[in-house]
Amino acid sequence: MTLNSLARYRTEWFGGLPALRRDILAGMVGTFALIPEVIAFSFVAGVDPEVGLFASFVISIVLAFFGGRPAMISGAAGSVALVAAALVASHGLHYLLAATILCGVLQVVFGLLRLDVLMRFVSRSVRTGFVNALAILIFAAQLPQMLDVTWHTYALIAAGLAIIYLAPRVTTVIPSPLICILALTLVTAVFPMPVKTVAELGRLPEALPHFFLPDIPLSFETLAIIAPYALAMAVVGLLESMMTATVVDEQTETTSSKAQECTGLGLANLAAGCFGGIAGCGMIGQTVGNLRYGGRGRVSTLVAGLFLLILMVALRPWVAAVPVAALVAIMIMVSASTFAWDSLRNLALHPRASSLVMLATVAVTVATHNLAAGVTIGVLLSGVFFASKVMRMMRVTVDYDAATDTRHYRVAGQVFFASADAFAEKFDLRDTARRVRIDLTAAHLWDVTAVGALEGVVTRLRRHGIAVELVGLNQASAILVDRHAPLVQGG
């Protein structure tokens, strides 16, 4: 590490006592937000909740030291669980653990190769759609906890939301979600009522995680089974983590190392698989909650993991008594704060193409519960709309010089696969002029499709006995033409 990066790393750990206090309290809030979602996604993956909880503990600890985005909360949740479900159903937990280890190795490789640059192809509209879809999915995930329940649950959720939004007007020393949890747990302890508690969500850990390797045969057949799932988990996990890191960058007005985050996530998943956990990734809902309550440094990530272990093991009976309604209230708040509400107003202000990309990302993600699918559609639409826009900017003007019997074609703009056909259609291949002069001074040829279109035009004109002259090719375009159509600039 350079001196500057070392100083920055030190600051990310300790930015002063007030910042340290905020990081600790915000990390504790992040822990409570982790619990219900990790347990829920453990069921989605078909594994015991303790598998997801142990993984979240390990992932948080490793990323606190090796991650590239301070204040980001990561755990065993998200689309990774959807990918893992099929492998668990067909081959069992130990194959999932092996796939998790391989997933971590792949992510480390991706980070070392700096494949994070692919995130540059994700437009702001896609990122907004990603955030909005997650907010909707976070809220939708709370609905099962609000169905077929007594009025007591609704009363506690309402009371929890009131505490969360009103407590900051009285004090900000303790984050309001923590006050919500403590208050509602105390109420249900003093006045027993028929409401669901955390203990009813699934089996909680009873001991510390320990190191062990998956009990599977070491063969190419095993590799063939786990490799496709490991690759899918690696890509989906990196996608969610990079999107989450970008959101944190925007909200904190800071920058982060995406390549380091890729490598750190790989190390975290590698460790998770060796301690009996499922692969994980960045969790935007919990991260936004961490940021909302002052988390900015690596301590908040570390506390989220350590406090999770303390709650799950040392304070297991107390955690088991926390009413689920308190967690639902927190997640509803996180959902509301995650949603980009100004994007609704911007639907009428932004270009139609941008709004359509955002809406398509939201629709596909919510319909499939798959962030990778939604973002992929958004990126593809962004690319199509961009190519269409650039294509329309290509212009070809024509004039005729009777004195020399020469037809002048002046090309301006970008000629590439999307505009190549429009470029070729501008030329009269049965021109009666003796000479044709194609001026490419204001144009750029980007690919072999553009060169092929130019070659086709020149070849057909010369076939009709017309002398063709090319002028104005810039250096990059000339090199492309010389390489793929050397005869075009001749004769």
Side-chain angles (χ1 to χ4, degrees), residues 100-173:
T100 296
I101 294 173
L102 180 57
C103 163
V105 173
L106 291 174
Q107 289 173 332
V108 170
V109 173
F110 291 164
L112 295 177
L113 294 178
R114 304 192 69 84
L115 296 184
D116 58 289
V117 297
L118 297 177
M119 279 299 298
R120 296 175 184 174
F121 294 97
V122 181
S123 67
R124 184 180 182 86
S125 298
V126 176
R127 292 198 297 268
T128 301
F130 167 85
V131 169
N132 289 346
L134 272 174
I136 294 171
L137 291 178
I138 290 170
F139 180 81
Q142 312 314 309
L143 295 180
Q145 306 299 338
M146 294 187 284
L147 299 176
D148 299 322
V149 296
T150 64
W151 65 269
H152 304 83
T153 298
Y154 299 113
L156 288 178
I157 293 174
L161 289 171
I163 292 172
I164 289 171
Y165 286 106
L166 297 179
R169 299 185 180 184
V170 178
T171 179
T172 57
V173 175

Side-chain angles (χ1 to χ4, degrees), residues 399-408 433-435:
D399 58 68
Y400 176 68
D401 183 359
T404 59
D405 193 18
T406 302
R407 188 87 61 190
H408 293 271
R434 294 174 55 193
R435 297 182 181 85

Side-chain angles (χ1 to χ4, degrees), residues 439-482:
D439 187 350
L440 296 160
T441 303
H444 185 89
L445 306 182
W446 282 100
D447 54 21
V448 293
T449 306
V451 173
L454 177 63
E455 182 182 31
V457 167
V458 172
T459 301
R460 288 169 186 164
L461 287 173
R462 288 174 177 168
R463 190 181 300 151
H464 287 86
I466 301 173
V468 181
E469 178 188 9
L470 291 181
V471 297
L473 273 175
N474 59 38
Q475 184 178 5
S477 299
I479 292 174
L480 200 60
V481 170
D482 287 340

Side-chain angles (χ1 to χ4, degrees), residues 283-352:
M283 300 172 67
I284 190 169
Q286 287 69 19
T287 298
V288 169
N290 185 41
L291 297 176
R292 182 182 177 89
Y293 291 97
R296 292 294 184 273
R298 294 180 180 272
V299 170
S300 63
T301 305
L302 181 66
V303 168
L306 290 176
F307 193 52
L308 176 64
L309 185 66
I310 293 172
L311 290 178
M312 291 298 96
V313 179
L315 302 179
R316 184 173 179 274
W318 184 85
V319 174
V322 173
V324 173
L327 304 182
V328 171
I330 293 174
M331 297 306 293
I332 290 176
M333 176 275 295
V334 170
S335 173
S337 59
T338 300
F339 195 89
W341 295 101
D342 60 342
S343 65
L344 299 179
R345 181 182 68 255
N346 292 335
L347 286 175
L349 302 176
H350 286 177
R352 289 183 179 179

Side-chain angles (χ1 to χ4, degrees), residues 211-230:
F211 180 87
F212 73 93
L213 295 176
D215 183 17
I216 58 173
L218 299 178
S219 63
F220 285 107
E221 181 181 356
T222 299
L223 181 62
I225 293 172
I226 66 173
Y229 293 98

